[in-house]
């Protein structure tokens, strides 16, 4: 078997480390040729020692210099480069077959576009590539001949529940149902959310994730972004997308067909499952995750968004459908605003319940023009971030 050559963008984050854990179980199938990270020099060094990639990219010159010195001392064969241009080069490198796109936020858009244009098998764990890039990103996938495979647990579940031929989806699908755990505050009184701390917001009951996505799960903005992503991935109308709260995180998402049959994908809440599926597709291989024990399951429960004050608890969720129905580029504005707002909350400059206020105000103040290329997307992103930052400053004054 010819080994597939893999680049992991964001290798020291939770998705990156889970990817390398899966890859390490199948050394006969995969060769890690490139890794990229932001600031975690020691974690990157440990990965270089274990996987011996040809290239390692760090996000800044100081971190790249630190890594290069440590690589030299260890006499490792890895060449060290500096981002961001080097990340785009890695994503489109001819020596790479598969790109795991796990860079958090809009920063991952440019390398995702580079990989798409280069026709790679692109494992998309960066939902912002679709939320921000939208049709620009999908056009790059089509024109480059790339294979796009979703890695978010929800979108992987949907993909696994759909027929193999995408040409049949529109005729068969009634709706797509994304499940949400409800995060750490599902039963917390809405009038106490102003007192939530970053530490509490990052303590997800089911999943081990980075700080930004953990906060998004607590506000359910992650689900809003996933609704937008599903719209672009699967080509359904906004009204065909539904969210239901499922606290156990066992059913990862569902597809309801025209005959009312529902097909769902179940599994333990472990990101190695969708990662292994994306790496091996259309085959299956061991992920390292624990199998479901149906005898130990106490039960599976579901709650509508309208129940128990959830609309007030998660006001940002409705912004997904609003953005999808608004002018092109609105989804990019929402994403930029949320990144700024979450960063401000984690930095204790605004309260938890003010994240939505920043997002709402930014959508109201930024009128996007339809972006047609990466520079236009980046310009829109910058304008939205400036507006969101102004909103943060007003709230923290």
């Amino acid at each position: 078997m010819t080994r597939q050559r893999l680049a992991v963008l964001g290798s020291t984050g939770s998705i990156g480390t889970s990817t390398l854990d899966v890859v390490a179980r199948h050394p006969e199938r995969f060769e890690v040729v490139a890794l990229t990270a932001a600031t975690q020099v020691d974690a990157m060094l440990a990965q270089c020692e274990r996987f011996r990639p040809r290239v390692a990219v760090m996000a800044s010159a100081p971190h790249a210099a630190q890594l290069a010195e440590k690589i030299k001392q260890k006499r490792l064969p890895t060449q060290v480069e500096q981002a961001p241009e080097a990340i785009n080069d890695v994503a489109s490198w001819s020596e790479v077959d598969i790109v795991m796109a796990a860079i958090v936020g809009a920063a991952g858009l440019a390398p995702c576009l580079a990989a798409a244009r280069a026709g790679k098998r692109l494992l998309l764990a960066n939902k912002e590539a679709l939320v921000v890039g939208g049709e620009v990103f999908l056009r790059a996938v089509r024109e480059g001949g790339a294979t796009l495979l979703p890695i978010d647990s929800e979108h992987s579940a949907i993909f696994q529940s759909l027929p193999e031929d995408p040409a049949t989806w529109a005729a068969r699908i009634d709706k797509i149902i994304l499940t949400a755990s409800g995060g750490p505050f599902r039963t917390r009184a809405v009038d106490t959310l102003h007192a939530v701390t970053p530490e509490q917001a990052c303590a997800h009951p089911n999943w081990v994730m980075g700080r930004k996505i953990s906060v998004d799960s607590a506000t359910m903005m992650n689900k809003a972004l996933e609704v937008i992503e599903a719209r672009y991935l699967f080509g359904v109308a906004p009204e065909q997308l539904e969210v239901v709260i499922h606290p156990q995180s066992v059913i990862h998402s569902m597809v309801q067909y025209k005959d009312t049959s529902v097909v769902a994908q179940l599994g333990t809440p472990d990101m190695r499952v969708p990662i292994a599926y994306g790496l091996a597709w259309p085959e299956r291989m061991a992920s390292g995750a624990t199998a479901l024990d149906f005898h130990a399951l106490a039960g599976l429960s579901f709650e509508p968004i309208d129940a128990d004050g959830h609309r007030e608890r998660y006001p940002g969720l409705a912004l997904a459908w609003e953005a999808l129905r608004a002018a092109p580029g609105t989804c990019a504005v929402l994403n930029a605003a949320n990144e700024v707002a979450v960063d401000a909350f984690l930095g204790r400059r605004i309260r938890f319940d003010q994240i939505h206020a920043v997002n709402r105000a930014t959508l109201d103040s930024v009128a996007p023009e339809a972006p047609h290329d990466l520079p236009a997307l980046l310009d829109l992103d910058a304008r939205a971030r400036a507006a969101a930052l102004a909103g943060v400053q007003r709230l923290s004054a």
Side-chain angles (χ1 to χ4, degrees):
M1 177 184 293
T2 302
R3 293 201 298 171
Q4 295 287 292
R5 299 165 297 181
L6 174 68
V8 183
L9 314 183
S11 67
T12 59
S14 61
I15 296 295
T17 54
S18 292
T19 299
L20 293 176
D21 180 86
V22 174
V23 167
R25 299 170 188 275
H26 303 277
E28 76 288 353
R29 296 185 65 141
F30 303 103
E31 175 190 1
V32 177
V33 297
L35 300 173
T36 82
T39 61
Q40 297 189 54
V41 173
D42 289 339
M44 174 63 90
L45 178 64
Q47 291 177 349
C48 289
E49 285 187 277
R50 182 172 187 184
F51 295 97
R52 295 180 172 261
R54 303 178 204 177
V55 178
V57 183
M58 299 301 293
S60 71
H63 293 104
Q66 292 175 36
L67 179 63
E69 180 59 30
K70 293 175 183 286
I71 291 284
K72 182 178 178 181
Q73 292 173 3
K74 296 279 188 177
R75 297 184 179 181
L76 298 175
T78 303
Q79 177 181 340
V80 179
E81 301 284 354
Q82 180 193 342
E85 292 79 9
I87 296 181
N88 298 343
D89 293 341
V90 161
S92 58
W93 191 20
S94 62
E95 297 297 312
V96 169
D97 303 307
I98 303 173
V99 175
M100 168 58 78
I103 297 175
V104 176
L109 175 58
C112 283
L113 281 168
R117 290 174 181 140
K120 304 301 181 185
R121 172 182 287 207
L122 180 54
L123 310 187
L124 191 65
N126 173 290
K127 61 174 61 68
E128 290 80 9
L130 276 166
V131 173
V132 178
E135 292 298 334
V136 173
F137 177 65
L138 290 178
R139 185 172 68 245
V141 171
R142 291 192 299 267
E143 293 177 354
T147 300
L148 182 63
L149 297 172
I151 299 300
D152 271 354
S153 62
E154 295 83 0
H155 301 95
S156 177
I158 294 163
F159 185 67
Q160 293 179 59
S161 301
L162 286 167
E164 290 187 6
D165 184 3
T168 69
W169 293 353
R172 296 187 184 186
I173 297 173
D174 181 27
K175 62 181 176 180
I176 286 173
I177 306 165
L178 291 93
T179 57
S181 70
F185 308 131
R186 181 177 62 86
T187 60
R188 179 164 173 156
V190 175
D191 60 4
T192 69
L193 292 177
H194 67 279
V196 164
T197 66
E199 291 75 21
Q200 291 170 330
C202 290
H204 196 281
N206 298 338
W207 298 92
V208 177
M209 305 181 292
R211 283 165 61 80
K212 194 269 181 183
I213 193 172
S214 294
V215 174
D216 282 348
S217 179
T219 63
M220 216 182 282
M221 271 304 300
N222 73 318
K223 208 55 52 179
L225 298 177
E226 287 169 10
V227 166
I228 296 169
E229 186 180 6
R231 157 70 183 89
Y232 286 112
L233 274 172
F234 306 114
V236 295
E239 55 270 20
Q240 290 179 281
L241 293 163
E242 182 180 317
V243 173
V244 64
I245 293 178
H246 169 51
Q248 296 81 21
S249 296
V250 171
I251 296 176
H252 297 304
S253 277
M254 300 170 272
V255 176
Q256 181 172 305
Y257 287 88
K258 294 288 179 68
D259 62 359
T260 72
S261 298
V262 176
V263 177
Q265 187 264 342
L266 286 70
T268 51
D270 189 324
M271 284 306 299
R272 291 178 296 177
V273 176
I275 288 168
Y277 182 74
L279 286 168
W281 181 87
E283 302 173 21
R284 300 269 184 173
M285 67 182 189
S287 66
T290 302
L292 273 180
D293 181 354
F294 286 94
H295 299 288
L297 284 178
L300 302 178
S301 61
F302 305 90
E303 301 168 9
I305 292 300
D306 289 328
D308 192 32
H310 286 330
R311 286 199 181 276
E312 292 75 27
R313 187 173 287 108
Y314 312 114
L317 180 59
L319 296 180
W321 289 270
E322 179 181 331
L324 284 171
R325 292 178 177 126
T330 303
C331 295
V333 173
L334 175 60
N335 178 76
N338 186 62
E339 288 191 20
V340 170
V342 170
D343 182 69
F345 167 68
L346 289 172
R348 303 179 194 276
R349 300 193 301 281
I350 63 173
R351 300 192 312 265
F352 178 80
D353 61 329
Q354 292 176 323
I355 293 173
H356 175 66
V358 172
N359 294 342
R360 175 74 271 169
T362 305
L363 284 176
D364 291 341
S365 65
V366 177
E369 297 178 2
H372 299 292
D373 54 22
L374 179 59
L377 286 168
L378 295 178
D379 177 71
L380 178 58
D381 180 78
R383 287 197 291 121
R385 286 174 190 275
L389 185 57
V392 167
Q393 291 170 342
R394 286 193 296 271
L395 289 170
S396 58

